[in-house]
Amino acid sequence: MYGTYLATFSVQSELHLSRQMGARITAVFWGSFAAMRFIAIFISVKLSPLGTLLFSFFMSIVGCTFLAIFAESTAEVLGIFTAFMGIGMAPIYASS
């Protein structure tokens, strides 16, 4: 659901970003999500499913926490921690 409403948040928030910038930030999320899905294939050889899940949850918690506090400060912060969310969410389904 995060990826679905990200562009709307970017435009409607205090940042008042353009629709193009909202689409770019959404692309950052889906790009990091897809890249981590690929990387998770190789990580799963070294880590157990529990280790992969713990890594995923840690990245998601870091992303959520910083987004909850600083999401409306700058577009760069929104983009960086959106990437954290994409990295954190990617391997959850496959690992569980």
Side-chain angles (χ1 to χ4, degrees):
M1 293 307 299
Y2 180 74
T4 305
Y5 293 109
L6 186 56
T8 303
F9 174 80
S10 299
V11 173
Q12 299 293 325
S13 71
E14 294 293 321
L15 293 174
H16 299 293
L17 299 176
S18 66
R19 294 175 76 194
Q20 291 81 12
M21 190 63 167
R24 285 185 188 148
I25 291 176
T26 303
V28 166
F29 172 75
W30 289 113
S32 63
F33 185 89
M36 189 59 197
R37 277 274 173 112
F38 178 72
I39 293 169
I41 295 167
F42 304 105
I43 289 175
S44 68
V45 172
K46 297 291 182 185
L47 286 179
S48 67
L50 179 62
T52 306
L53 280 174
L54 290 174
F55 170 75
S56 297
F57 291 148
F58 174 75
M59 292 298 285
S60 295
I61 288 170
V62 168
C64 277
T65 303
F66 281 97
L67 282 172
I69 298 168
F70 300 114
E72 293 185 320
S73 60
T74 64
E76 289 80 16
V77 169
L78 182 61
I80 290 168
F81 290 108
T82 291
F84 272 68
M85 292 293 290
I87 291 168
M89 290 181 188
I92 289 177
Y93 180 76
S95 296
S96 59

